[in-house]
């Protein structure tokens, strides 16, 4: 069943369709909230609050954009609000990204060929600045376009591109450190 049909059914009172919508988006919603809040319980609470907000706002959804983009924007803003309430929010200065060599990228990519790559990716993302980890997750894991990310985060297109570039650089640098650490442990 497509999203539009689910939404029509939800608006008609079908709780099973709402359950299907929750199941479809819960993993990425949690990822967004967790990347921002860095706390499992707070992320779960933010996602629950986001579902309540989504349910209440569902009659206003116009299908002008993808439902996922609209919902992830709710999750994003709900998580930022929770973070502001904790007074932990900090902004990141713009940085000029440096180029990586092909050897750096090749050796880091080799590590990802192993079966535990999801664990390594998760470990690397946890060590990165929250905004970069979130943008990389949206772009590569959720396959959101730059425009969809702009709609979710309300960042400018150029800011998203710089943060993605910087995020990729930080990701590969962290991956290199893990590779060196694992090589030392093998010896």
């Amino acid at each position: 069943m497509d999203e539009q049909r689910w939404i029509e059914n939800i608006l008609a009172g079908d709780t099973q369709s709402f359950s299907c919508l929750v199941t479809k988006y819960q993993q990425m919603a949690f990822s967004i909230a967790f990347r921002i809040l860095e706390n499992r319980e707070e992320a779960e609470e933010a996602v629950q609050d986001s579902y309540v907000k989504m349910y209440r706002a569902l009659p206003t959804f116009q299908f002008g954009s993808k439902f996922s983009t609209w919902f992830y924007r709710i999750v994003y803003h709900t998580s930022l609000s929770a973070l502001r309430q904790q007074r932990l929010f900090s902004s990141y200065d713009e940085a000029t990204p440096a180029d990586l060599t092909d050897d750096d990228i090749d050796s880091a990519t080799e590590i990802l060929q192993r079966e535990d790559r999801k664990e390594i990716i998760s470990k690397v993302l946890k060590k990165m600045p929250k905004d970069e980890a979130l943008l990389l997750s949206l772009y590569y894991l959720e396959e959101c376009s730059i425009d969809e990310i702009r709609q979710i985060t309300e960042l400018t297109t150029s800011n998203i591109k710089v943060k993605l570039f910087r995020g990729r650089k930080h990701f590969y640098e962290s991956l290199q450190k893990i590779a060196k650490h694992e090589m030392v442990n093998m010896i």
Side-chain angles (χ1 to χ4, degrees):
M1 185 180 296
D2 69 342
E3 292 171 349
Q4 186 167 357
R5 187 79 177 251
W6 279 344
I7 292 169
E8 290 168 358
N9 289 346
I10 292 166
L11 294 174
D14 180 11
T15 57
Q16 183 64 33
S17 292
F18 185 72
S19 179
C20 292
L21 212 55
V22 167
T23 301
K24 183 173 182 178
Y25 295 109
Q26 69 186 4
Q27 186 174 355
M28 190 60 196
F30 177 78
S31 290
I32 291 170
F34 186 76
R35 298 261 181 258
I36 293 170
L37 296 167
E38 296 181 332
N39 178 292
R40 183 174 202 68
E41 292 80 22
E42 291 170 7
E44 288 171 351
E45 188 174 325
V47 170
Q48 287 177 353
D49 290 347
S50 298
Y51 278 116
V52 170
K53 289 177 182 180
M54 179 265 290
Y55 184 79
R56 289 181 180 155
L58 207 50
T60 65
F61 182 65
Q62 300 285 319
F63 295 97
S65 65
K66 288 173 50 177
F67 176 80
S68 60
T69 302
W70 180 76
F71 176 60
Y72 294 153
R73 184 175 181 170
I74 293 171
V75 174
Y76 178 78
H77 285 287
T78 301
S79 300
L80 284 180
S81 293
L83 190 61
R84 282 186 201 106
Q85 287 175 356
Q86 298 169 355
R87 298 179 190 262
L88 295 176
F89 185 80
S90 63
S91 62
Y92 297 95
D93 296 330
E94 290 292 327
T96 305
D99 291 331
L100 295 172
T101 67
D102 287 338
D103 290 338
D104 291 340
I105 293 171
D106 290 341
S107 61
T109 305
E110 287 175 25
I111 297 170
L112 295 177
Q113 301 303 318
R114 296 195 346 234
E115 61 189 55
D116 57 348
R117 68 178 175 238
K118 282 187 180 182
E119 183 180 322
I120 292 170
I121 290 170
S122 178
K123 188 186 299 185
V124 171
L125 288 173
K126 285 178 185 177
K127 292 181 180 186
M128 294 179 61
K130 290 183 281 189
D131 60 340
E132 291 175 11
L134 174 63
L135 292 178
L136 288 174
S137 295
L138 287 172
Y139 190 74
Y140 290 105
L141 301 178
E142 189 58 24
E143 298 180 358
C144 291
S145 68
I146 298 287
D147 189 53
E148 290 169 333
I149 294 171
R150 185 188 54 75
Q151 291 174 30
I152 292 168
T153 63
E154 296 180 339
L155 296 171
T156 65
T157 300
S158 61
N159 197 359
I160 291 168
K161 288 179 180 179
V162 167
K163 287 180 184 240
L164 279 172
F165 189 89
R166 185 177 61 209
R168 285 189 289 266
K169 176 184 175 283
H170 288 150
F171 184 89
Y172 283 119
E173 287 171 352
S174 295
L175 200 54
Q176 282 295 101
K177 288 177 186 174
I178 290 172
K180 288 177 185 174
H181 178 71
E182 287 189 14
M183 286 181 180
V184 168
N185 289 339
M186 288 180 174
I187 297 175

